[in-house]
Amino acid sequence: MFLQMTRSEEEMIKVTHFLNAFWSVCGRDMISAFDLSPFTVICDLGGGAGGLARECISLYPNSTVTIYDLPKVVQLAKEHFVTPEESRITFHGGDFFTDPIPEADLYIVARVLHDWADDKCLELLSKIHKVCKPGGGVLLVESLVDDDKTGPLDALLLSVIMLVQTEGKERTPSEFRKLLTAAGFREMQVKKTGKLYDVILGRK
Ligand SMILES: C[S@@+](CC[C@H](N)C(=O)[O-])C[C@H]1O[C@@H](n2cnc3c(N)ncnc32)[C@H](O)[C@@H]1O
């Protein structure tokens, strides 16, 4: 959502650098929160500049990751962020609401759902569920708010930013469970990482 607000390519590169920098600090904590080695074909929806895709191919040597994002973001990632040596990372330009999304074992959806209202989240998760291979899953990376909504402070502050800037918010594990169940996912595991972002694995 923030990328869509940028006014020039230069500004877009700066925002993308800022977003991606988080994953050089704590991307490994996200990708190692669960054993993702059974999932070899991975699609990072709204994958941006590929910080998590990079962590994935480095931690799981049998994995390939497709970064799916809007065409102009994919172009930017190819030109400025992902090197040709990272050949297990490929790209797919499209709009995940209106265009088809590729079949995969695992979909990473990192810092995407917090941009969107519940109905759009459900639309996207249902679409993922439909194309996800049997036994596959979805890995949500978000800043989790406690179920009683009293903390943690950093998640609440992020939620205020999302409420002001986007149509979304940070959500609680119960809110994610409701969305995942409605989309058809049968099982959900939550990992609080102790970092700014946490991880939820939903299984088909
Ligand atoms: C907050 S960024 C997160 C990027 C990346 N997942 C990360 O954690 O660094 C949200 C991403 O979703 C992408 N996005 C937003 N709407 C989209 C759409 N309709 N189809 C595909 N990608 C979209 C944006 O371009 C952006 O890269």
Side-chain angles (χ1 to χ4, degrees):
M1 193 65 86
F2 292 107
L3 291 181
Q4 279 67 59
M5 291 175 195
T6 54
R7 287 159 295 189
S8 64
E9 184 172 339
E10 196 190 350
E11 210 173 276
M12 197 167 164
I13 293 171
K14 272 191 199 156
V15 173
T16 307
H17 260 300
F18 169 76
L19 285 172
N20 211 40
F22 277 91
W23 300 140
S24 26
V25 180
C26 62
R28 182 60 60 124
D29 298 285
M30 307 299 127
I31 295 304
S32 63
F34 296 102
D35 175 15
L36 304 180
S37 59
F39 307 109
T40 52
V41 181
I42 299 174
C43 180
D44 189 352
L45 287 173
L52 284 183
R54 181 172 290 129
E55 291 298 333
C56 252
I57 59 161
S58 136
L59 190 60
Y60 302 108
N62 295 323
S63 66
T64 57
V65 183
T66 299
I67 296 175
Y68 185 108
D69 210 302
L70 296 169
K72 64 177 180 183
V73 178
V74 159
Q75 193 57 32
L76 193 89
K78 271 186 193 166
E79 280 172 18
H80 300 276
F81 293 92
V82 178
T83 66
E85 289 74 53
E86 291 165 313
S87 59
R88 285 192 284 126
I89 298 179
T90 56
F91 297 90
H92 188 127
D95 180 323
F96 49 49
F97 288 121
T98 55
D99 296 320
I101 52 177
E103 196 183 65
D105 301 316
L106 180 76
Y107 295 84
I108 298 175
V109 186
R111 299 191 291 189
V112 168
L113 297 183
H114 71 175
D115 285 343
W116 302 100
D118 284 354
D119 59 335
K120 301 292 273 184
C121 293
L122 183 54
E123 185 183 334
L124 182 58
L125 290 172
S126 303
K127 192 166 175 175
I128 294 171
H129 185 266
K130 218 173 260 171
V131 289
C132 182
K133 292 184 187 170
V138 61
L139 189 80
L140 308 180
V141 179
E142 298 284 355
S143 192
L144 288 176
V145 173
D146 294 338
D147 274 326
D148 65 6
K149 300 205 173 175
T150 59
L153 184 60
D154 46 10
L156 293 178
L157 287 173
L158 270 183
S159 198
V160 171
I161 296 170
M162 302 322 291
L163 284 163
V164 172
Q165 301 275 14
T166 74
E167 59 180 73
K169 60 177 180 175
E170 303 303 333
R171 292 180 171 83
T172 64
S174 304
E175 288 170 327
F176 279 115
R177 184 178 297 282
K178 216 167 139 189
L179 285 169
L180 284 168
T181 305
F185 289 93
R186 62 178 165 82
E187 204 183 280
M188 173 180 124
Q189 292 166 271
V190 179
K191 218 19 119 39
K192 296 278 269 178
T193 65
K195 304 285 158 68
L196 184 52
Y197 294 99
D198 305 297
V199 190
I200 291 177
L201 180 64
R203 299 296 295 260
K204 183 166 176 174

